[in-house]
């Protein structure tokens, strides 16, 4: 799709960047010691910290990824929202207060508070770096993808801009500036998402989403033995027919332009329904619906096939309430666009064909996760594994955990977590409306679902689009800042000072922290450019899985099992982290990326949680039992 | 290197009570979340059942889990705050 940079969006973006840099410079003067740099002095008010939690946690994957997923696969995308939020319950009831009580700057402090073990210090730091990197890459990739439509700049420029701003934020005032950037961003995200949903409900649902929406046509056809032999529109000529995974597709030619159509039955007759397609020739030139990109033949999509309101078929609903909005979609039929890829001669073809889908199916699990028709034991296990990782991953994410050290007391840590749950929970409810709104408002770019929420905002005017896009950009800045502070703390505090016993003064630690932040930032920029095009949600799923397997068993058992030993914690972090990474690297998704068939993967599991989390727990228990101190009473 | 907290916290007599309470709340939520995952995995069609306000079980259960997290959080905080006041009031210089 072609995106035209909006001048208002550019101005807003520049204003936002100047404001962020101003905040960072202001706090830089107050940040002179390690406590100020790594933990914002431990003086942040719990209310501010709670919203900053939301700003930290609601990353590009939450805002762009989930809305896009709901817009394309319905309720299955919302399952991510539920899993991400449920994880906060673990953080509140199990982790918040004890972690605040035991730690100083990093979660390794808390794990190591009883033992003073070099093994724990090193493994916890490595785990922090691995999880932070898994989380950083998709944020940087997302930044590049966002800056292209927003400012009309290439992907790599977007990554460099984000990386540079974040390095400035973190290198000037560390956690203090990061906290306020996250607080502002979290607040803006929730307020403007609420406004967007309010406007959506006020508009209601319409079979024709807008005046400019492309009218997809159908042509009656004569079909014999699955082959299309003639069509009722003489201006088109039949060129080729392909059968792809049970889908019959026909290529038609009109005025030298080739387009793809899907054969389907409508009542008693066969028809060809118009599809979207891209054609890439061996030289790499790409055609959109058979024409060059600037011919604008590649349309935004997403509409209702039919609307059922109160048992009556209507063309549009008018203003609706929030529950009524969902209920109408449940009772109606939505036209989704399904993707197939194949070769036509030497050309690579991607077709998005219309698939009218019952609202009942859209609003229950099964379109993305194979838990219903066509499911297998492994596909169900994959789903359970993902939900497990989301539940236990949140409370083990290093950039979330370090925020507990920015408030004055354990009770403030608890209260700020409740504010975070309320703010994040409310936002995740909004994602269902934004996603379904994008699904039915004719704004979707079939090539990139990540732009669903900003494009829905564009439906209501350029101003809202510019604001939402600038906030989406800020979303990346807030999360990346938190991740870089976490990684910087792991390098300086856990590895250099604790593990390597390098003696650093307070100011020396701050200086080393700033240098580490710049190094991590540069690495993140390089990886963000290298991983261009990689699925954002996929990588975030890795981060959750690794965090849940490596860190959660150690935190949980340290708090609730008196026989836990340093060796048990060290080994469980190692086993949890390596087993999760190993399963990911041999997963069907990765095997496909290596260029082999997904079915050749040794283990049909894409989400490692179901194996690596119990494995990490078992390791901790066994090793702890084998390394119990003899004749020494274990102090709790 | 000092591993103590960034801000020194006073003795908290309620910490053991809060820890047990947290564990109970965690188990309650885990059971309800497990039920949600089990239905989605084993009987996804059950999620189509209409509940109220025209919403199906999938939406009601999903929204319910989010709202339950907030409600349990507030309830937990009220119990913890009350325990902190009750158990720490006779301690001198105690900061929660």
């Amino acid at each position: 799709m072609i995106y035209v940079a909006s001048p208002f969006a550019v101005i807003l973006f520049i204003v936002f960047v100047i404001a962020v840099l101003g905040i960072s410079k202001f706090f830089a003067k107050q940040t002179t010691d390690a406590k100020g740099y790594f933990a914002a002095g431990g003086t942040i008010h719990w209310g501010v910290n709670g919203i900053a939690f939301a700003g930290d946690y609601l990353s590009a994957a939450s805002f762009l990824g989930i809305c896009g997923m709901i817009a394309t696969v319905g309720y299955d995308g919302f399952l991510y929202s539920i899993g991400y939020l449920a994880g906060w319950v673990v953080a509140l009831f199990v982790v918040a207060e004890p972690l605040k009580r035991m730690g100083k700057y990093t979660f390794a402090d808390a794990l190591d508070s009883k033992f003073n073990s070099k093994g724990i210090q090193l493994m916890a730091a490595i785990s922090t770096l691995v999880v932070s990197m898994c989380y950083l890459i998709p944020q940087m990739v997302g930044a590049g993808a966002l800056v292209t439509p927003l400012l009309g700049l290439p992907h790599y420029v977007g990554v460099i801009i984000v990386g540079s701003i974040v390095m400035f934020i973190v290198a000037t005032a560390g956690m203090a500036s990061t906290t306020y950037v996250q607080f502002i961003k979290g607040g803006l995200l929730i307020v403007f998402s609420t406004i967007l949903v309010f406007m959506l409900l006020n508009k209601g649902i319409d079979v024709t989403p807008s005046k400019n929406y492309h009218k997809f046509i159908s042509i009656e056809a004569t079909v014999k033995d699955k082959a299309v032999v003639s069509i009722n529109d003489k201006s088109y000529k039949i060129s080729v027919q392909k059968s792809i995974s049970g889908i019959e597709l026909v290529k038609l030619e009109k005025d030298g332009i080739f387009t793809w159509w899907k054969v389907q039955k409508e009542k008693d007759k066969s028809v060809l329904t118009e599809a979207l397609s891209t054609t890439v020739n061996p030289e790499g030139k790409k055609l959109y619906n058979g024409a060059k990109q600037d011919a604008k033949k590649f349309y935004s999509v997403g509409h209702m096939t039919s609307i059922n309101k109160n048992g009556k078929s209507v063309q549009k609903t008018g203003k609706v309430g929030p529950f009524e909005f969902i209920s109408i979609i449940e009772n109606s039929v939505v036209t989704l666009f399904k993707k197939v890829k194949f070769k036509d001669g030497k050309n690579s073809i991607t077709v998005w064909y219309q698939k009218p889908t019952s609202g009942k199916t859209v609003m229950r699990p099964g379109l993305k996760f194979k838990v219903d028709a066509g499911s297998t034991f492994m596909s169900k296990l994959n789903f359970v594994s993902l939900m497990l990782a989301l539940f236990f991953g949140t409370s083990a994410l290093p950039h979330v955990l370090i925020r507990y050290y920015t408030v004055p007391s354990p009770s403030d840590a608890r209260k700020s977590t409740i504010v975070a749950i309320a703010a994040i929970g409310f936002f995740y409810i909004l994602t269902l409306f934004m996603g379904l709104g994008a699904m039915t408002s004719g704004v979707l770019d079939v090539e990139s679902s990540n732009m669903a929420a900003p494009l829905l905002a564009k439906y209501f005017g350029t101003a809202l689009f510019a604001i939402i896009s600038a906030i989406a950009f800020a979303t990346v800045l807030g999360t990346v800042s938190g991740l870089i502070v976490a990684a910087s703390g792991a390098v300086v505090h856990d590895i250099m000072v604790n593990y390597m016993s390098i003696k650093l003064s307070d100011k020396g630690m701050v200086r080393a922290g700033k240098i580490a932040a710049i190094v991590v930032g540069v690495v993140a920029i390089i990886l963000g450019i290298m991983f261009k095009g990689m699925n954002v949600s996929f990588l975030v799923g890795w981060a959750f899985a690794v965090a849940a397997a490596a860190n959660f068993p150690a935190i949980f058992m340290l708090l609730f099992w008196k026989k836990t030993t340093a060796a048990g914690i060290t080994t469980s972090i190692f086993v949890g982290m390596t087993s999760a990474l190993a399963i990911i690297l041999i997963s069907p998704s990765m095997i496909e990326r290596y260029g082999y068939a997904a079915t050749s993967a040794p283990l049909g599991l894409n989400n490692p949680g179901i194996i690596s989390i119990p494995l990490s727990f078992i390791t901790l228990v066994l090793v702890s039992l084998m390394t119990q101190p003899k004749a020494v009473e274990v102090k709790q | 290197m000092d591993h103590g907290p960034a801000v020194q916290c006073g003795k908290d007599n309620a910490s053991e009570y809060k820890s047990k309470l947290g564990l109970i709340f965690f188990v309650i939520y885990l059971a309800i979340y497990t039920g949600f995952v089990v239905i989605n995995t084993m009987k996804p069609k059950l999620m189509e059942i209409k509940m109220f306000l025209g919403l199906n079980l999938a939406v009601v259960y999903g929204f319910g889990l989010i709202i339950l997290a907030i409600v349990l959080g507030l309830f937990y905080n009220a119990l913890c705050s009350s325990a902190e006041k009750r158990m720490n009031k006779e301690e001198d210089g105690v900061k929660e």
Side-chain angles (χ1 to χ4, degrees), chain A residues 130-208:
Chain A
V130 169
V131 175
S132 298
M133 275 301 162
C134 284
Y135 220 108
L136 262 174
I137 297 167
Q139 304 304 324
M140 299 303 273
V141 172
L146 198 63
V147 164
T148 303
L150 185 65
L151 304 176
L153 297 169
H155 176 92
Y156 75 93
V157 179
V159 175
I160 291 171
I161 289 176
V162 168
S164 307
I165 297 171
V166 168
M167 279 192 282
F168 185 84
I169 295 170
V170 180
T172 45
M175 200 57 171
S177 51
T178 298
T179 296
Y180 284 97
V181 168
Q182 289 172 343
F183 171 74
I184 293 168
K185 166 235 152 166
L188 286 174
L189 182 63
I190 292 164
V191 168
F192 280 94
S193 295
T194 308
I195 291 172
L196 181 55
V197 170
F198 181 77
M199 292 172 90
L200 173 72
L201 297 175
N202 213 34
K203 167 186 89 77
I205 312 167
D206 196 329
V207 171
T208 309

Side-chain angles (χ1 to χ4, degrees), chain B residues 11-86:
Chain B
K11 192 187 169 201
D12 182 7
N13 296 323
S15 67
E16 200 174 329
Y17 167 81
K18 290 188 287 182
S19 183
K20 277 181 187 164
L21 195 65
L23 205 55
I24 292 167
F25 276 59
F26 165 68
V27 171
I28 292 170
Y29 195 86
L30 178 64
I32 298 168
Y33 182 79
T34 304
F36 177 74
V37 176
V38 167
I39 296 174
N40 278 303
T41 314
M42 308 309 290
K43 294 272 180 197
K45 279 206 172 97
L46 202 65
M47 288 295 191
E48 281 182 13
I49 294 172
K50 289 279 181 194
M51 300 297 285
F52 47 82
L53 294 168
L55 304 177
N56 66 12
L57 179 61
V59 175
V60 171
Y61 210 147
F63 280 2
L65 276 170
I66 293 175
I67 293 163
L68 181 70
I70 300 168
V71 172
L72 279 184
L74 291 170
F75 189 42
Y76 172 71
N77 183 55
L79 291 176
C80 287
S81 298
S82 146
E84 281 161 358
K85 274 185 192 167
R86 195 174 61 247

Side-chain angles (χ1 to χ4, degrees), chain A residues 535-547:
Chain A
N535 184 288
V536 170
S537 302
F538 183 72
L539 281 165
V540 169
W542 282 12
F544 270 79
V546 176

